[in-house]
Amino acid sequence: MQPSRESPIASLQQLQQQAWAILQTDSQKPGDVFYTGTLGTQSGSGVSLRTVVVREVNALEKTISCYSDKRASKIQEIETNSSVSFLFWDSERKIQLRLSGTATIHTTDILAEGHWQQTSPSNRRSYLAIPAPGSFQSEPTSGLPEGLDTREPTQEESEQGRFNFAVIVTRIQQMDWLHLAKSGHRRAMFRYEAGELAEASWVIP
Ligand SMILES: Cc1cc2nc3c(=O)[nH]c(=O)nc-3n(C[C@H](O)[C@H](O)[C@H](O)COP(=O)(O)O)c2cc1C
C-alpha cells in the first residue's frame, strides 16, 4: 500500500500498516521526515533525548535500528534500562508517532557485522574519535585522528571504527499515532506482542 498524504484517516489496521510503511520508506532516504527521529532513554538524572538517523525499519518485525559509538552515554543507559522511546513528527502529513519498546545492543554479532559492512568510510568517521564521546576537553575538538576532520578516512583507517560501532535494535511494543486536523484531531494506540498487532484502539487526542 502506498502511504497517502491526503487521507491519513483509515481503519485502525490500515492506519498502523500505513504508519509502518511510511517509517520504512522514509528511513531509506536522507531528507525524508522520518529519516531522523528522537530517541529517548532513561538516564540517572531523568530522561535523555537525542536525534538519531534511523538506519533500518522492519515493518514485519516492528523493529527500528540505529547506530551509535558503543562508548556513548545512550549505550550505558540502555544497558541499565532497555526501555526506550522514539518520537517522530511529520509537519506535512501532520502526524506525530510515539513508539516505545525494548532495545538491544549489538556490537560483535553477525547483525552488527552486516550493518558495519554497509557503512561507507565517510560514515565510519563517527566511530573514530580517540577520546570517548561525551568526554570533556580543554579545547573544541572532534577527537578524530590527525587530518580526519577534513578528509575521508581510507578504507584501512575506517576499519579502526569497527571496535566502537554499535547497532541499537528496538522491538516496538506500543505505537501512539496522532493526526492533527482542523476538522478534529484523531489519536490511536497500538500494542504489539512479538511483532504482531495485539490491541488497537482510538483514543481521545
Ligand atoms: C541530525 C542528527 C543526526 C544524528 N544521528 C546520530 C546517530 O545516528 N547516532 C548517534 O549516536 N548520534 C547521532 N547524532 C548525535 C546525537 O544526537 C547525540 O548528540 C550523540 O549521539 C550523543 O548522545 P548520547 O550522549 O546521549 O549518547 C545525531 C545528531 C544530529 C543532529
Side-chain angles (χ1 to χ4, degrees):
M1 181 175 58
Q2 277 297 311
S4 153
R5 283 180 189 268
E6 286 77 38
S7 56
I9 304 295
S11 76
L12 282 167
Q13 172 70 318
Q14 274 180 328
L15 193 126
Q16 65 92 32
Q17 280 172 349
Q18 203 173 65
W20 279 99
I22 295 169
L23 276 171
Q24 197 160 21
T25 310
D26 274 21
S27 64
Q28 302 305 308
K29 220 162 129 215
D32 276 0
V33 278
F34 295 155
Y35 183 69
T36 56
T38 304
L39 169 66
T41 51
Q42 313 271 351
S43 77
S45 52
V47 172
S48 192
L49 304 172
R50 80 283 291 157
T51 310
V52 290
V53 173
V54 175
R55 301 292 177 173
E56 190 174 85
V57 172
N58 186 324
L60 278 181
E61 302 277 329
K62 307 291 180 297
T63 57
I64 300 178
S65 301
C66 59
Y67 299 164
S68 172
D69 187 305
K70 77 174 183 194
R71 300 165 295 173
S73 303
K74 67 177 91 51
I75 299 293
Q76 288 149 31
E77 287 161 10
I78 292 168
E79 279 168 352
T80 307
N81 184 339
S82 62
S83 296
V84 304
S85 295
F86 279 95
L87 172 67
F88 299 94
W89 163 239
D90 181 339
S91 59
E92 203 180 309
R93 294 186 186 96
K94 305 261 182 275
I95 289 174
Q96 172 184 266
L97 295 179
R98 294 197 292 171
L99 302 112
S100 55
T102 306
T104 48
I105 312 286
H106 300 259
T107 53
T108 55
D109 59 8
I110 193 166
L111 185 146
E113 188 53 32
H115 279 275
W116 176 252
Q117 292 307 331
Q118 289 171 35
T119 59
S120 64
S122 170
N123 287 338
R124 290 177 177 182
R125 248 196 299 227
S126 303
Y127 316 103
L128 289 174
I130 296 166
S135 54
F136 285 35
Q137 303 293 307
S138 54
E139 292 172 1
T141 171
S142 65
L144 287 174
E146 181 96 34
L148 290 192
D149 267 336
T150 49
R151 70 168 173 85
E152 197 172 289
T154 62
Q155 184 72 27
E156 196 184 341
E157 285 168 330
S158 78
E159 288 298 338
Q160 297 296 316
R162 177 65 187 89
F163 183 71
N164 298 324
F165 179 68
V167 183
I168 304 169
V169 181
T170 303
R171 169 63 69 93
I172 299 301
Q173 278 130 13
Q174 186 167 296
M175 176 165 70
D176 180 339
W177 173 98
L178 172 69
H179 178 238
L180 300 185
K182 287 197 178 109
S183 54
H185 305 335
R186 296 288 182 270
R187 183 177 174 195
M189 294 276 269
F190 303 93
R191 197 172 58 74
Y192 301 98
E193 275 172 20
E196 297 291 331
L197 184 63
E199 227 176 303
S201 179
W202 293 107
V203 176
I204 298 297

